[in-house]
């Protein structure tokens, strides 16, 4: 069986602090999840960059797309979903508006409220991106196969639910 960086870390701790050897099992899981998250983020950033997008822009585009017609939300709704500052959301929207992917629309009922809406080009870019992204994700999981992937998804779901992560809002 192959070893990975986490095996090396556990081995180092075991050598340094042998009395902790039987308490290092969480590192076997959480260390791998942490390293996997970083590795996947690197992959996803590169994939987005090949399409002249940043991950934050992809997040905003796909959030708008999956919200359904009329494909618009307030900046505040994005801030809650993305857990970033209002300045970061504003900058992201500014960049995407300059690219012709989104437009700001004043709410007819309350002129103080601004909705961010996918443009026709944004809709087209998002649909193309999602299809390619799903194929890329399948490629990344090829080593596990469908059955192991489903089992892993179930285990991760149980862990996320236990930590209270049950909604995107």
């Amino acid at each position: 069986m192959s070893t990975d960086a986490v095996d090396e870390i556990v081995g180092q701790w075991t050598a340094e602090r042998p009395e902790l050897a039987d308490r290092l099992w969480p590192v076997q899981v959480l260390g791998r999840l942490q390293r996997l998250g970083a590795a996947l983020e690197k992959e996803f950033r590169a994939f987005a960059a090949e399409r002249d997008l940043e991950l934050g822009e992809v997040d905003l585009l796909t959030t708008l797309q999956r919200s359904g017609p009329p494909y618009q939300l307030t900046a505040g709704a994005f801030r809650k979903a993305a857990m970033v500052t209002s300045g970061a959301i504003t900058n992201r929207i500014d960049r995407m508006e300059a690219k012709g992917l989104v437009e700001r629309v004043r709410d007819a009922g309350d002129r103080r409220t601004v909705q961010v809406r996918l443009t026709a080009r944004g809709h087209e870019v998002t649909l193309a991106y999602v299809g390619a992204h799903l194929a890329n994700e399948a490629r990344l999981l090829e080593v596990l196969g469908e059955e192991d992937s489903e089992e892993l998804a179930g285990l991760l779901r149980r862990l996320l639910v236990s930590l209270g992560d049950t909604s995107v809002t």
Side-chain angles (χ1 to χ4, degrees):
M1 177 185 284
S2 299
T3 61
D4 63 11
V6 174
D7 292 322
E8 186 176 341
I9 291 167
V10 169
Q12 290 170 336
W13 275 116
T14 300
E16 180 65 24
R17 300 278 309 272
E19 76 279 10
L20 296 178
D22 64 341
R23 294 178 31 211
L24 291 171
W25 64 268
V27 176
Q28 297 281 347
V29 175
L30 300 177
R32 284 187 173 91
L33 286 174
Q34 187 175 29
R35 294 182 70 85
L36 181 60
L40 289 173
E41 184 172 341
K42 183 179 175 183
E43 288 277 341
F44 294 155
R45 281 188 191 287
F47 187 81
E50 289 171 3
R51 286 145 182 85
D52 194 31
L53 293 169
E54 296 176 17
L55 275 186
E57 294 172 336
V58 169
D59 184 42
L60 201 143
L61 288 171
T62 56
T63 299
L64 282 170
Q65 183 69 51
R66 70 175 190 260
S67 74
Y71 307 108
Q72 67 184 36
L73 295 168
T74 64
F78 289 120
R79 203 169 49 251
K80 284 181 186 176
M83 293 187 296
V84 296
T85 66
S86 59
I89 290 293
T90 299
N91 290 337
R92 200 174 283 173
I93 293 167
D94 288 345
R95 284 192 312 270
M96 295 174 67
E97 196 170 36
K99 291 180 179 182
L101 301 173
V102 298
E103 62 185 346
R104 288 178 169 96
V105 180
R106 293 261 177 221
D107 188 300
D110 181 356
R111 301 272 305 147
R112 295 170 298 171
T113 302
V114 176
Q115 300 277 336
V116 179
R117 180 188 309 155
L118 271 182
T119 62
R121 182 171 184 278
H123 187 74
E124 180 182 303
V125 166
T126 305
L127 291 178
Y129 184 90
V130 169
H133 177 66
L134 290 173
N136 187 48
E137 285 185 331
R139 177 191 63 82
L140 292 170
L141 292 174
E142 260 177 1
V143 67
L144 294 181
E146 194 171 332
E147 188 176 316
D148 285 346
S149 293
E150 286 177 11
E151 182 180 355
L152 179 58
L155 294 169
L156 294 172
R157 178 184 305 107
R158 186 172 7 151
L159 184 56
L160 283 170
V161 168
S162 77
L163 295 171
D165 188 23
T166 58
S167 173
V168 294
T169 57

